[in-house]
Structures are given as structure tokens and as C-alpha cells.
Amino acid sequence: MNVAVFRPNDERLEDAVELLESLDTKPVPDPMLAIHPTGKKPNHADFVVLTSKTGVELAYEAGWDPGDATVCAIGEGTAAILREHDYEVDIVPDQFSSRGLVAVLADRVDGQHVEVARSDHGSDVLTDGLEDAGAEVHETILYELVRPRGSGESAELAAKGGLDAALFTSPLTVEHFLEVAEERGIRDQTLDNLDGVTVGAIGGPTHDAARDHGIRVDVVPETASFDRLARETVERITGATDKAEI
């Protein structure tokens, strides 16, 4: 089974390939994201929001000290990395999304300064929602996300009917996948053939981005982790009923 995976070209891609191989699939590693750090760190504020593992690592490398701020993580993955770097985590929403975090903070941030530290492709849902709740919001871009040169092997395979599954891990991976297909003149074939491919999306925003571009999504794990995304997608392909076998 050929399974396309779009993780950034670092240890995350290596780990993803190793996991997919352990599930008896043939990974098609096709990095759709490259990270360009800006060298900035979060500003001081009453509340500081981190939205990704990468953001935490870059903030730590830049020497960020939260001081007395209430530190908020968008999900348990981000919270775990914060704790690994000896930061205390005060708030993690039950729903790991921008909407979930806004819902938790809405009655706490009126008149407060909120710092949102993330990539240059963060959702307006978070900043707009916090402003609507009365917060004074400042956003710091910790890193930029771009499409690496040479990406697109998965789109070529999809256009030829050679993919069994595709694992999208952010809305931007969906956009970049289709951009490279467009540049190669195979967008229509790629989209048509995705109807016969098992498509996984790591969470709600990624699912919505795929749907908005006409891609049917078969798997959205309840927990937004690549491990669950990969395992549940492979289960879907193989029809496995005993999860202990996967």
C-alpha cells in the first residue's frame, strides 16, 4: 500500500515513515512544509498562547520567559512539549482547536493582553475570537511555512492512480498538495483519482480545508495526533477489526 505523508522534512517525517513501515505499508514521504524561523519570541502578556510543537521549540531557543503569564496550549501535544522544556502549562482546552481555546478563554480575557505566538498561517478564528471576547491581542510570527522545492511525488502518483492513502496533517498541506498538482498540470487527474484513495485528515480544520477543495475525507481521528491518523487510516484500508493487530 502506497501511503503519502506530508510531514515537515525533519524528525517528524522520519518518525512518520518508521511508523508507516511498521504498519506494513509503503510510505511516500513528500514534505509539503518547510519551516523558516523568524528569530522572534513571544511578547510579555497576561495570557500567552502557543499553538504547535515547532512554536514552543523556537520560543525556547529564543530564550522566551513567560514570567507571570497564563500559558495556554492549543492541545495536549503542544502542552507536552512545553512541559518538556520546563514551562508550566495553565490552560489546555478539551477541544484541541482554535475554537476550543477561544471557548475556554472567552470569559477570562476581557481587558487582558493576549499574546498569540505561532506560524504565519495561523487561523483568524483564534485572534478574532479573542478580540470579540474583549482581549487586546498581539500576534508574533515565530516561523514561516513554505512549500519545499521538489515536493510533488505524491501528486504524480495520485494522478496515475498509484496511491492507496494520503495523510494530510494541516490545512496548508492540502493547499500545497493541490498547488504542486496545478503547477505540474495534473490537478484534475489528481482530484479525480483521490476519490479512490483513503484520505485521512489530522483534525477538523484540515478536514474542512480538504472538503472545501473537493477532497472527500474518510478518516479524522478523535485525537489529533499523527500516530492515530496513520493507524486509523491503515485500519480503514485493511478493514482490520482488531486494533491490537495494527
Side-chain angles (χ1 to χ4, degrees), residues 16-55:
V17 167
E18 183 177 341
L19 172 61
L20 289 168
E21 288 176 341
S22 77
L23 299 176
D24 294 325
T25 72
K26 182 179 179 181
V28 181
D30 197 3
M32 287 291 167
L33 297 176
I35 296 165
H36 290 181
T38 64
K40 297 179 180 179
K41 60 183 176 181
N43 287 346
H44 293 291
D46 300 306
F47 291 77
V48 179
V49 176
L50 279 301
T51 65
S52 70
K53 170 182 181 289
T54 299

Side-chain angles (χ1 to χ4, degrees), residues 188-206:
D188 289 344
Q189 303 99 298
T190 298
L191 282 172
D192 288 345
N193 285 334
L194 282 180
D195 283 339
V197 169
T198 301
V199 175
I202 203 166
T206 306

Side-chain angles (χ1 to χ4, degrees), residues 11-95:
E11 74 278 357
R12 283 168 288 188
L13 188 62
E14 296 171 4
D15 291 345
V17 167
E18 183 177 341
L19 172 61
L20 289 168
E21 288 176 341
S22 77
L23 299 176
D24 294 325
T25 72
K26 182 179 179 181
V28 181
D30 197 3
M32 287 291 167
L33 297 176
I35 296 165
H36 290 181
T38 64
K40 297 179 180 179
K41 60 183 176 181
N43 287 346
H44 293 291
D46 300 306
F47 291 77
V48 179
V49 176
L50 279 301
T51 65
S52 70
K53 170 182 181 289
T54 299
V56 173
E57 291 173 341
L58 292 175
Y60 177 79
E61 291 171 7
W64 173 54
D65 179 359
D68 295 330
T70 298
V71 177
C72 311
I74 203 165
E76 275 299 343
T78 305
I81 298 300
L82 280 161
R83 295 184 185 108
E84 284 182 18
H85 288 81
D86 295 324
Y87 294 118
E88 292 187 7
V89 181
D90 301 296
I91 295 175
V92 184
D94 292 332
Q95 179 187 350

Side-chain angles (χ1 to χ4, degrees), residues 47-240:
F47 291 77
V48 179
V49 176
L50 279 301
T51 65
S52 70
K53 170 182 181 289
T54 299
V56 173
E57 291 173 341
L58 292 175
Y60 177 79
E61 291 171 7
W64 173 54
D65 179 359
D68 295 330
T70 298
V71 177
C72 311
I74 203 165
E76 275 299 343
T78 305
I81 298 300
L82 280 161
R83 295 184 185 108
E84 284 182 18
H85 288 81
D86 295 324
Y87 294 118
E88 292 187 7
V89 181
D90 301 296
I91 295 175
V92 184
D94 292 332
Q95 179 187 350
F96 300 163
S97 68
S98 294
R99 288 186 177 86
L101 189 53
V102 169
V104 170
L105 294 176
D107 62 352
R108 309 186 192 192
V109 296
D110 186 17
Q112 301 291 298
H113 290 82
V114 180
E115 169 75 355
V116 177
R118 57 184 183 176
S119 81
D120 62 330
H121 282 81
S123 169
D124 291 340
V125 169
L126 179 57
T127 49
D128 289 351
L130 293 171
E131 287 177 350
D132 290 343
E136 183 175 333
V137 179
H138 180 269
E139 182 178 17
T140 295
I141 302 303
L142 300 178
Y143 58 103
E144 299 172 348
L145 293 170
V146 300
R147 176 161 57 86
R149 291 182 179 181
S151 59
E153 178 187 359
S154 58
E156 294 278 0
L157 273 175
K160 297 174 183 176
L163 273 189
D164 297 289
L167 305 177
F168 291 105
T169 53
S170 72
L172 199 55
T173 59
V174 177
E175 294 173 17
H176 285 174
F177 174 81
L178 294 177
E179 281 177 10
V180 74
E182 179 73 33
E183 290 174 6
R184 298 186 182 204
I186 55 174
R187 182 185 173 103
D188 289 344
Q189 303 99 298
T190 298
L191 282 172
D192 288 345
N193 285 334
L194 282 180
D195 283 339
V197 169
T198 301
V199 175
I202 203 166
T206 306
H207 166 269
D208 293 347
R211 179 196 59 198
D212 291 346
H213 286 288
I215 300 173
R216 185 205 69 255
V217 175
D218 304 290
V219 177
V220 182
E222 184 174 342
T223 300
S225 74
F226 183 80
D227 184 271
R228 288 314 317 161
L229 175 65
R231 291 177 185 276
E232 291 181 22
T233 301
V234 172
E235 288 173 12
R236 179 68 175 257
I237 297 171
T238 61

